[in-house]
Protein backbone atom coordinates (compact mmCIF):
# COMPACT_ATOMS: atom_id res chain seq x y z
CA UNK A 1 0.00 0.00 0.00
CA UNK A 2 2.81 2.40 0.92
CA UNK A 3 4.48 1.68 -2.42
CA UNK A 4 1.31 2.61 -4.32
CA UNK A 5 1.00 5.86 -2.37
CA UNK A 6 4.56 6.79 -3.25
CA UNK A 7 3.87 6.12 -6.94
CA UNK A 8 0.70 8.23 -6.84
CA UNK A 9 2.52 11.11 -5.13
CA UNK A 10 5.32 11.01 -7.70
CA UNK A 11 2.79 10.96 -10.54
CA UNK A 12 0.95 13.93 -9.06
CA UNK A 13 4.18 15.90 -8.66
CA UNK A 14 5.18 15.11 -12.25
CA UNK A 15 1.83 16.25 -13.67
CA UNK A 16 1.84 19.40 -11.52
CA UNK A 17 5.38 20.21 -12.62
CA UNK A 18 4.45 19.85 -16.30
CA UNK A 19 1.38 22.04 -15.82
CA UNK A 20 3.31 24.82 -14.11
CA UNK A 21 6.08 24.71 -16.73
CA UNK A 22 3.68 25.34 -19.61
CA UNK A 23 3.92 28.95 -20.85
CA UNK A 24 0.87 31.18 -20.50
CA UNK A 25 -1.32 31.31 -23.63
CA UNK A 26 -0.53 34.12 -26.06
CA UNK A 27 -2.69 37.25 -25.88
CA UNK A 28 -2.72 40.33 -28.12
CA UNK A 29 -4.05 43.67 -26.85
CA UNK A 30 -4.50 47.05 -28.49
CA UNK A 31 -6.69 50.16 -28.52
CA UNK A 32 -9.20 51.56 -31.00
CA UNK A 33 -7.29 53.85 -33.38
CA UNK A 34 -8.68 54.06 -36.94
CA UNK A 35 -7.45 53.25 -39.53
CA UNK A 36 -4.73 51.25 -37.77
CA UNK A 37 -7.05 49.45 -35.35
CA UNK A 38 -10.76 49.33 -36.17
CA UNK A 39 -13.66 46.96 -35.54
CA UNK A 40 -15.40 45.16 -38.42
CA UNK A 41 -18.25 42.73 -37.70
CA UNK A 42 -17.14 42.44 -34.09
CA UNK A 43 -13.52 41.63 -34.92
CA UNK A 44 -10.48 43.89 -34.56
CA UNK A 45 -9.26 44.92 -38.02
CA UNK A 46 -7.31 47.83 -39.53
CA UNK A 47 -4.07 48.31 -41.43
CA UNK A 48 -1.71 47.71 -38.50
CA UNK A 49 -3.83 44.79 -37.34
CA UNK A 50 -3.30 43.22 -40.77
CA UNK A 51 0.47 43.28 -40.16
CA UNK A 52 0.11 41.83 -36.67
CA UNK A 53 -2.09 39.02 -37.98
CA UNK A 54 0.40 38.37 -40.79
CA UNK A 55 3.19 38.06 -38.20
CA UNK A 56 1.13 35.61 -36.14
CA UNK A 57 0.32 33.57 -39.23
CA UNK A 58 3.97 33.53 -40.33
CA UNK A 59 4.94 32.34 -36.84
CA UNK A 60 2.28 29.63 -36.90
CA UNK A 61 0.51 31.16 -33.89
CA UNK A 62 -3.13 31.86 -33.22
CA UNK A 63 -4.39 34.56 -30.87
CA UNK A 64 -7.47 36.77 -30.82
CA UNK A 65 -6.84 40.51 -30.67
CA UNK A 66 -8.45 42.11 -27.60
CA UNK A 67 -9.53 45.76 -27.70
CA UNK A 68 -9.24 47.97 -24.60
CA UNK A 69 -8.72 51.61 -23.67
CA UNK A 70 -4.99 52.23 -24.05
CA UNK A 71 -4.27 52.51 -20.32
CA UNK A 72 -5.88 49.10 -19.72
CA UNK A 73 -4.07 47.47 -22.66
CA UNK A 74 -0.78 48.94 -21.43
CA UNK A 75 -1.37 47.62 -17.91
CA UNK A 76 -2.12 44.10 -19.14
CA UNK A 77 1.00 44.04 -21.32
CA UNK A 78 3.23 45.44 -18.59
CA UNK A 79 2.11 42.93 -15.92
CA UNK A 80 1.27 39.68 -17.74
CA UNK A 81 3.68 37.27 -19.50
CA UNK A 82 3.17 36.33 -23.17
CA UNK A 83 1.12 39.40 -24.06
CA UNK A 84 1.66 41.34 -27.30
CA UNK A 85 0.66 44.99 -27.60
CA UNK A 86 0.48 47.43 -30.52
CA UNK A 87 0.88 50.21 -31.62
CA UNK A 88 3.50 51.00 -29.00
CA UNK A 89 5.78 54.02 -29.22
CA UNK A 90 9.34 52.94 -28.44
CA UNK A 91 10.37 55.58 -25.93
CA UNK A 92 13.43 55.54 -23.63
CA UNK A 93 11.13 55.14 -20.61
CA UNK A 94 9.58 51.99 -22.07
CA UNK A 95 12.69 50.43 -23.61
CA UNK A 96 13.54 48.06 -20.75
CA UNK A 97 9.94 47.29 -19.79
CA UNK A 98 8.99 45.49 -23.01
CA UNK A 99 10.49 43.22 -25.64
CA UNK A 100 10.39 44.80 -29.09
CA UNK A 101 9.32 42.71 -32.08
CA UNK A 102 9.15 45.23 -34.92
CA UNK A 103 7.35 48.29 -36.38
CA UNK A 104 3.74 47.91 -37.51
CA UNK A 105 2.74 51.53 -38.23
CA UNK A 106 3.99 54.96 -39.17
CA UNK A 107 2.29 57.90 -37.48
CA UNK A 108 2.19 61.58 -38.37
CA UNK A 109 0.54 62.91 -35.25
CA UNK A 110 -0.33 66.47 -34.49
CA UNK A 111 -3.11 68.80 -33.46
CA UNK A 112 -6.62 68.57 -34.91
CA UNK A 113 -9.31 71.22 -34.38
CA UNK A 114 -12.87 71.78 -35.53
CA UNK A 115 -12.90 73.27 -39.03
CA UNK A 116 -15.14 76.08 -37.82
CA UNK A 117 -12.59 77.19 -35.21
CA UNK A 118 -10.71 79.43 -37.61
CA UNK A 119 -9.40 81.39 -34.63
CA UNK A 120 -7.11 78.48 -33.75
CA UNK A 121 -4.03 78.49 -35.98
CA UNK A 122 -0.95 77.56 -33.92
CA UNK A 123 2.41 77.47 -35.62
CA UNK A 124 4.37 75.82 -32.78
CA UNK A 125 3.47 73.74 -29.70
CA UNK A 126 4.64 76.44 -27.28
CA UNK A 127 1.56 78.46 -28.24
CA UNK A 128 -0.74 75.92 -26.57
CA UNK A 129 -0.25 77.08 -22.98
CA UNK A 130 -3.60 78.86 -23.02
CA UNK A 131 -5.43 76.11 -24.93
CA UNK A 132 -6.84 72.68 -24.06
CA UNK A 133 -5.83 69.44 -25.75
CA UNK A 134 -7.36 65.96 -25.49
CA UNK A 135 -5.02 62.96 -25.46
CA UNK A 136 -5.30 59.32 -24.44
CA UNK A 137 -4.33 58.36 -20.90
CA UNK A 138 -0.80 56.82 -20.75
CA UNK A 139 -0.17 57.67 -24.41
CA UNK A 140 3.32 58.92 -25.22
CA UNK A 141 1.82 62.11 -26.67
CA UNK A 142 1.04 63.24 -23.12
CA UNK A 143 4.75 63.26 -22.24
CA UNK A 144 5.54 65.22 -25.39
CA UNK A 145 2.88 67.83 -24.62
CA UNK A 146 4.14 68.07 -21.04
CA UNK A 147 7.63 68.75 -22.38
CA UNK A 148 6.20 71.95 -23.89
CA UNK A 149 4.88 73.07 -20.52
CA UNK A 150 1.31 71.78 -20.70
CA UNK A 151 -0.09 70.09 -17.57
CA UNK A 152 -2.34 67.04 -17.34
CA UNK A 153 -5.69 67.98 -15.82
CA UNK A 154 -5.21 71.57 -16.89
CA UNK A 155 -4.25 72.13 -20.54
CA UNK A 156 -4.22 68.37 -21.22
CA UNK A 157 -7.54 66.53 -20.83
CA UNK A 158 -7.05 62.77 -20.57
CA UNK A 159 -9.44 60.42 -22.37
CA UNK A 160 -9.86 56.64 -22.40
CA UNK A 161 -9.58 56.31 -26.18
CA UNK A 162 -9.49 58.32 -29.39
CA UNK A 163 -13.27 58.43 -29.78
CA UNK A 164 -13.66 59.95 -26.33
CA UNK A 165 -10.99 62.51 -27.27
CA UNK A 166 -12.95 63.40 -30.39
CA UNK A 167 -16.19 63.71 -28.42
CA UNK A 168 -14.50 66.19 -26.09
CA UNK A 169 -13.53 68.18 -29.19
CA UNK A 170 -16.98 67.98 -30.77
CA UNK A 171 -18.68 69.04 -27.53
CA UNK A 172 -16.44 72.07 -27.14
CA UNK A 173 -14.68 70.73 -24.06
CA UNK A 174 -11.23 71.08 -25.64
CA UNK A 175 -9.67 73.14 -28.42
CA UNK A 176 -7.62 70.35 -29.98
CA UNK A 177 -7.21 66.60 -30.09
CA UNK A 178 -3.97 64.74 -30.80
CA UNK A 179 -4.50 62.44 -33.78
CA UNK A 180 -2.95 60.99 -36.88
CA UNK A 181 -3.41 62.93 -40.10
CA UNK A 182 -4.32 59.78 -42.00
CA UNK A 183 -6.91 58.76 -39.39
CA UNK A 184 -9.18 61.76 -39.83
CA UNK A 185 -11.43 60.47 -42.67
CA UNK A 186 -11.97 57.10 -40.95
CA UNK A 187 -12.82 58.67 -37.61
CA UNK A 188 -15.22 61.14 -39.20
CA UNK A 189 -17.02 58.20 -40.82
CA UNK A 190 -17.06 56.20 -37.60
CA UNK A 191 -18.65 59.11 -35.73
CA UNK A 192 -21.03 59.76 -38.67
CA UNK A 193 -19.68 63.27 -39.21
CA UNK A 194 -19.59 65.17 -42.51
CA UNK A 195 -16.22 65.03 -44.24
CA UNK A 196 -14.19 68.08 -43.33
CA UNK A 197 -15.66 68.51 -39.84
CA UNK A 198 -12.14 68.78 -38.43
CA UNK A 199 -8.83 70.04 -39.71
CA UNK A 200 -5.25 68.96 -39.06
CA UNK A 201 -3.45 72.18 -38.20
CA UNK A 202 -0.08 71.47 -36.61
CA UNK A 203 2.20 68.44 -36.98
CA UNK A 204 4.40 67.85 -33.93
CA UNK A 205 7.80 66.51 -34.94
CA UNK A 206 8.30 64.43 -31.79
CA UNK A 207 5.03 62.60 -32.54
CA UNK A 208 6.05 61.53 -36.05
CA UNK A 209 7.47 58.05 -35.71
CA UNK A 210 7.09 54.34 -36.28
CA UNK A 211 5.24 52.38 -33.62
CA UNK A 212 5.84 48.77 -32.65
CA UNK A 213 4.43 45.39 -31.93
CA UNK A 214 5.93 44.70 -28.51
CA UNK A 215 5.78 41.86 -26.00
CA UNK A 216 5.54 41.87 -22.22
CA UNK A 217 8.88 41.75 -20.44
CA UNK A 218 8.50 38.17 -19.16
CA UNK A 219 7.42 36.68 -22.48
CA UNK A 220 8.88 33.24 -23.20
CA UNK A 221 12.23 33.83 -25.00
CA UNK A 222 11.58 31.11 -27.57
CA UNK A 223 8.21 32.65 -28.40
CA UNK A 224 9.77 36.09 -28.68
CA UNK A 225 12.44 34.83 -31.08
CA UNK A 226 9.77 33.09 -33.15
CA UNK A 227 7.78 36.33 -33.44
CA UNK A 228 10.83 38.46 -34.29
CA UNK A 229 11.79 36.09 -37.10
CA UNK A 230 8.21 36.09 -38.38
CA UNK A 231 8.24 39.91 -38.40
CA UNK A 232 11.44 39.90 -40.46
CA UNK A 233 9.69 37.67 -43.00
CA UNK A 234 6.59 39.89 -43.10
CA UNK A 235 8.77 42.96 -43.74
CA UNK A 236 9.50 41.54 -47.20
CA UNK A 237 5.80 41.42 -48.12
CA UNK A 238 4.12 44.19 -50.19
CA UNK A 239 1.48 44.60 -47.46
CA UNK A 240 4.13 45.73 -45.00
CA UNK A 241 5.62 48.30 -47.37
CA UNK A 242 2.19 49.73 -48.19
CA UNK A 243 1.26 50.20 -44.55
CA UNK A 244 4.59 51.56 -43.37
CA UNK A 245 5.06 54.06 -46.21
CA UNK A 246 1.47 55.26 -46.53
CA UNK A 247 1.63 57.84 -43.76
CA UNK A 248 5.11 59.11 -44.54
CA UNK A 249 4.26 60.49 -47.97
CA UNK A 250 4.04 64.28 -48.29
CA UNK A 251 0.68 65.72 -47.25
CA UNK A 252 -0.92 69.02 -48.10
Amino acid sequence: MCRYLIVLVMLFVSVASQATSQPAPLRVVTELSPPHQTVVDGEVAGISTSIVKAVLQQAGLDARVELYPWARAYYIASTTPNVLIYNMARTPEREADFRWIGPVASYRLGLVRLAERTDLNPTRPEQLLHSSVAAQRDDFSVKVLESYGLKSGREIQLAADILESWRLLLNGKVDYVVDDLMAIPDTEKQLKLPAGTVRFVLPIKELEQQTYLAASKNTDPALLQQLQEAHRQVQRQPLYQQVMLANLSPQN
Side-chain angles (χ1 to χ4, degrees):
M1 183 67 178
C2 182
R3 183 181 303 171
Y4 288 121
L5 286 174
I6 293 173
V7 171
L8 286 173
V9 169
M10 292 179 64
L11 180 61
F12 174 79
V13 171
S14 175
V15 171
S17 176
Q18 289 179 12
T20 56
S21 66
Q22 292 297 319
L26 182 65
R27 298 176 64 185
V28 185
V29 298
T30 190
E31 65 171 339
L32 181 69
S33 181
H36 299 278
Q37 296 100 259
T38 60
V39 177
V40 178
D41 296 330
E43 294 292 326
V44 182
I47 59 176
S48 293
T49 303
S50 66
I51 292 181
V52 172
K53 290 182 176 179
V55 170
L56 292 172
Q57 183 178 25
Q58 182 69 38
L61 299 169
D62 184 31
R64 185 173 181 270
V65 181
E66 304 169 30
L67 199 67
Y68 297 100
W70 179 252
R72 176 63 178 166
Y74 188 94
Y75 175 79
I76 293 170
S78 61
T79 59
T80 311
N82 292 354
V83 174
L84 308 184
I85 183 170
Y86 70 104
N87 287 310
M88 175 81 83
R90 191 169 183 173
T91 64
E93 297 81 7
R94 294 173 176 172
E95 183 67 31
D97 293 333
F98 295 89
R99 300 293 178 254
W100 304 92
I101 296 169
V104 292
S106 295
Y107 277 91
R108 187 171 185 251
L109 291 166
L111 298 181
V112 176
R113 64 161 168 81
L114 294 174
E116 63 190 32
R117 290 294 308 272
T118 56
D119 57 307
L120 299 175
N121 291 295
T123 57
R124 60 186 189 278
E126 292 86 352
Q127 296 174 328
L128 301 175
L129 291 176
H130 300 291
S131 301
S132 54
V133 185
Q136 283 73 261
R137 188 173 288 106
D138 287 341
D139 188 75
F140 82 113
S141 63
V142 176
K143 294 291 185 183
V144 172
L145 291 173
E146 288 176 342
S147 72
Y148 284 103
L150 283 71
K151 303 293 184 183
S152 294
R154 195 171 69 188
E155 294 89 3
I156 306 171
Q157 297 299 313
L158 300 177
D161 58 37
I162 190 62
L163 293 185
E164 183 180 336
S165 291
W166 271 60
R167 291 187 182 106
L168 289 173
L169 180 69
L170 295 168
N171 292 330
K173 303 296 185 182
V174 296
D175 298 314
Y176 306 97
V177 63
V178 176
D179 207 349
D180 181 11
L181 175 64
M182 193 172 67
I184 290 175
D186 292 87
T187 309
E188 286 179 334
K189 289 178 183 177
Q190 186 152 356
L191 291 171
K192 297 180 171 57
L193 300 171
T197 297
V198 302
R199 183 176 178 183
F200 188 91
V201 291
L202 180 66
I204 299 178
K205 189 65 178 177
E206 295 89 339
L207 299 180
E208 297 179 13
Q209 61 176 282
Q210 292 183 340
T211 52
Y212 280 69
L213 173 64
S216 49
K217 187 175 182 178
N218 295 323
T219 294
D220 178 62
L223 176 61
L224 180 64
Q225 186 175 6
Q226 187 177 355
L227 287 162
Q228 289 171 333
E229 176 57 32
H231 186 275
R232 285 191 285 270
Q233 296 297 322
V234 170
Q235 285 183 37
R236 303 189 180 109
Q237 299 177 10
L239 166 69
Y240 184 85
Q241 300 301 323
Q242 292 167 7
V243 171
M244 296 304 296
L245 294 177
N247 213 26
L248 297 179
S249 58
Q251 303 283 343
N252 294 325

